[in-house]
Amino acid sequence: EICSALSRARRSLVYAETKLNKASSRSHAVFRVAVAKTATQSTPGTLGLLTLVDLAGSERIKRSGVAGAHLKEATAINGSLLALGKVVRALATGARAHVPYRDSKLTQLLEGSVGGNSRCTMLVCVSPAADSLGESIAAL
């Protein structure tokens, strides 16, 4: 059931060719699975939430050569990744007085998955190419 839902969702993703990537993702993808255990007389109910996120990669506008609608998409992608970076930085440094979740739709959506009583793992694709070192370091 889950694999079928992931497959349907994957078909909805939008890709476009840039100078850097033949199939560049033009949007983030978020897939959530909620698992609930019903309470019984002897055990309490529990709820688990698994959030899988496929983030579109950041792009140097000049290097990717995007224009028009793709330029607008790249700008929005970069803005949401910047906002996510600010949230992660605030959580990592313990600046819990203000975590900027409201800076983007992405960070608002992921608030319950990256903060509080949650566990978060991030896998990053980096390029071995020397000319992509800046992007690779920024992703990390």
Side-chain angles (χ1 to χ4, degrees):
E1 218 176 294
I2 290 174
C3 288
S4 175
L6 272 171
S7 181
R8 282 192 316 272
R10 190 118 176 100
R11 287 192 296 268
S12 299
L13 293 177
V14 177
Y15 295 93
E17 186 171 342
T18 70
K19 286 183 181 177
L20 299 175
N21 194 343
K22 284 198 178 275
S24 178
S25 178
R26 307 315 304 158
S27 61
H28 305 306
V30 179
F31 187 79
R32 285 195 160 153
V33 178
V35 179
K37 177 184 172 198
T38 306
T40 65
Q41 288 181 350
S42 60
T43 61
T46 58
L47 175 67
L49 181 65
L50 173 65
T51 305
L52 303 172
V53 182
D54 180 5
L55 296 172
S58 65
E59 295 181 348
R60 300 271 187 238
I61 305 296
K62 194 175 195 179
R63 288 188 64 207
S64 66
V66 295
H70 296 310
L71 174 61
K72 190 174 181 179
E73 290 168 345
T75 302
I77 289 167
N78 290 345
S80 64
L81 292 172
L82 178 64
L84 181 59
K86 288 179 182 179
V87 166
V88 170
R89 196 171 307 110
L91 291 170
T93 60
R96 297 200 186 267
H98 176 68
V99 179
Y101 291 114
R102 293 186 180 181
D103 285 1
S104 80
K105 291 178 184 178
L106 176 67
T107 53
Q108 288 176 28
L109 184 64
L110 297 179
E111 182 174 355
S113 299
V114 295
N117 188 24
S118 64
R119 303 287 183 262
C120 183
T121 301
M122 185 172 172
L123 303 175
V124 180
C125 278
V126 295
S127 173
D131 65 344
S132 296
L133 180 63
E135 277 96 339
S136 294
I137 289 173
L140 297 172

